Amino acid sequence: MARVITVGAAQLGPIARSDSRARVVERLIAHLREAKRMGCDLVVFPELALTTFFPRWYMTDQAEIDSFFEREMPGPETQPLFDEARLLRLGFSLGYAELTEQDGRPARFNTSILVDRDGRIIGKYRKVHLPGHREHEPWRRFQHLEKRYFDVSDTGFRVWRAFDGILGMCICNDRRWPETYRVMGLQGAEMILLGYNTPVHNPPAPDHDNLSLFHNQLVMQAGAYQNGCWVVGVAKAGDEENVPMIGGTQIIAPSGMTVAATRGDGDELAVAACDLDACASYKTTTFNFAVHRMPQHYGLITERKGAEPPP
Ligand code: CDV
């Protein structure tokens, strides 16, 4: 029997700073209903999907910062999302800011969860690659203070047996790093779910701005192909609080080909029936890690004693 997961990549348009959680959850539920009509099994929401992308502001009042975090999942405002998904028998993954306690101290993570069709959280990932900076940098048109507001992951990259396959998660900046896909690829990942918030403008490197959509596609397609897995990349897009964000939501096959994509920058669902058995064609040939991967040789040149640096 073919293992096909029909996935809905649930792109969100902008979320205003003043938008309530209830209002955002209504939009997520609208996505679930549309996904059900389209025959989906699993819906993927973006990074920090419940609020505006708050790391763009420098804040010093901890209570204000914490107002963007969830203390429980589901909580009173997110319970309706879980209820609706269970009613529709849909799984989902959701990105949010998580406030928890570790060793008697608050800990804050940029988190993504995987929820099964029964509304149970079966996987949790906390972001490894936190981009941006820690201190206020007023020269920027907007801030990117993930290093200030979040702790670095204590989960690492993991995979879960779910939806008849092997699924992994990562978040936004993680998608630019080959290690992200490879660590999950080495665990047999057949589908990687990821959400992102990516401004078009990159303050430290504005000359990259016109390549932002290209780089988004480049890294996700490479990650899929080089690990023989599906990649589902989902944007929070559009002009959010005067910061234009890329769209480019897409579902990529193990061949590296994009098979479904959004067209605009608003709330929009891209759907594809993803055959997990298609992974084997890559995992057992070109990217058969057991046969062709040569990690024992990768350090040879740098480890050679007295080696001259390359000209
Ligand atoms: N939310 C992110 O991780 N965004 C980064 C920005 C800083 C470019 C990204 O890699 O898309």
Side-chain angles (χ1 to χ4, degrees):
M1 259 266 288
R3 293 177 302 134
V4 177
I5 313 183
T6 301
V7 178
Q11 177 174 290
L12 290 175
I15 299 176
R17 190 170 181 164
S18 58
D19 281 347
S20 67
R21 296 283 201 290
R23 166 78 196 104
V24 176
V25 166
E26 273 173 25
R27 287 167 62 184
L28 303 185
I29 288 175
H31 262 317
L32 289 181
R33 291 179 179 152
E34 172 71 359
K36 187 69 190 177
R37 277 192 291 277
M38 304 279 287
C40 292
D41 304 297
L42 176 65
V43 177
V44 182
F45 294 113
E47 172 191 37
L48 300 177
L50 296 171
T51 66
T52 196
F53 189 76
F54 62 90
R56 72 167 63 92
W57 291 291
Y58 176 65
M59 297 175 276
T60 52
D61 175 2
Q62 195 59 55
E64 183 183 15
I65 296 164
D66 286 347
S67 70
F68 294 100
F69 283 75
E70 311 304 312
R71 288 175 169 74
E72 46 183 342
M73 186 57 66
E77 288 145 320
T78 43
Q79 187 64 54
L81 177 71
F82 282 69
D83 292 344
E84 186 71 16
R86 197 176 54 233
L87 195 73
L88 298 172
R89 304 292 302 153
L90 280 173
F92 66 92
S93 84
L94 174 75
Y96 65 99
E98 177 190 12
L99 174 54
T100 184
E101 206 177 270
Q102 289 185 338
D103 303 324
R105 293 204 200 100
R108 295 173 181 82
F109 297 103
N110 188 339
T111 295
S112 176
I113 49 170
L114 180 61
V115 179
D116 72 8
R117 295 172 194 268
D118 295 318
R120 285 184 310 225
I121 297 175
I122 54 168
K124 179 180 277 190
Y125 165 71
R126 291 169 171 159
K127 190 172 181 179
V128 169
H129 299 100
L130 297 174
H133 48 108
R134 201 175 307 276
E135 303 305 329
H136 189 208
E137 296 188 2
W139 61 269
R140 291 171 183 258
R141 204 187 296 163
F142 50 86
Q143 304 294 296
H144 198 108
L145 288 158
E146 283 195 62
K147 287 192 195 301
R148 183 180 190 86
Y149 298 139
F150 296 116
D151 296 303
V152 179
S153 179
D154 60 355
T155 59
F157 296 112
R158 292 189 50 202
V159 299
W160 293 269
R161 286 196 175 275
F163 300 92
D164 222 6
I166 303 176
L167 273 58
M169 290 186 282
C170 66
I171 300 177
C172 196
N173 190 262
D174 289 325
R175 78 195 188 286
R176 302 187 191 277
W177 300 87
E179 299 89 335
T180 298
Y181 306 92
R182 182 50 49 89
V183 170
M184 288 187 270
L186 286 166
Q187 297 172 75
E190 295 176 310
M191 180 177 280
I192 294 175
L193 316 176
L194 72 96
Y196 55 90
N197 282 262
T198 300
V200 174
H201 174 55
N202 182 355
D207 49 321
H208 303 179
D209 291 1
N210 64 354
L211 300 173
S212 53
L213 271 170
F214 165 67
H215 287 154
N216 177 55
Q217 184 153 355
L218 175 72
V219 292
M220 295 194 298
Q221 289 186 329
Y225 169 63
Q226 292 173 341
N227 295 281
C229 66
W230 291 86
V231 171
V232 182
V234 185
K236 169 121 75 56
D239 194 323
E240 190 177 84
E241 300 288 359
N242 295 320
V243 177
M245 317 278 283
I246 65 165
T249 293
Q250 55 201 282
I251 300 175
I252 301 160
S255 62
M257 299 294 291
T258 295
V259 297
T262 53
R263 294 175 188 192
D265 286 343
D267 289 13
E268 188 180 340
L269 194 70
V271 175
C274 305
D275 180 0
L276 298 180
D277 290 330
C279 300
S281 169
Y282 292 87
K283 286 186 191 291
T284 61
T285 60
T286 314
F287 295 109
N288 184 333
F289 292 161
V291 175
H292 304 304
R293 199 171 158 268
M294 292 288 152
Q296 67 275 30
H297 295 287
Y298 295 159
L300 220 56
I301 291 171
T302 50
E303 279 162 20
R304 208 170 61 213
K305 284 210 170 57
E308 293 295 315

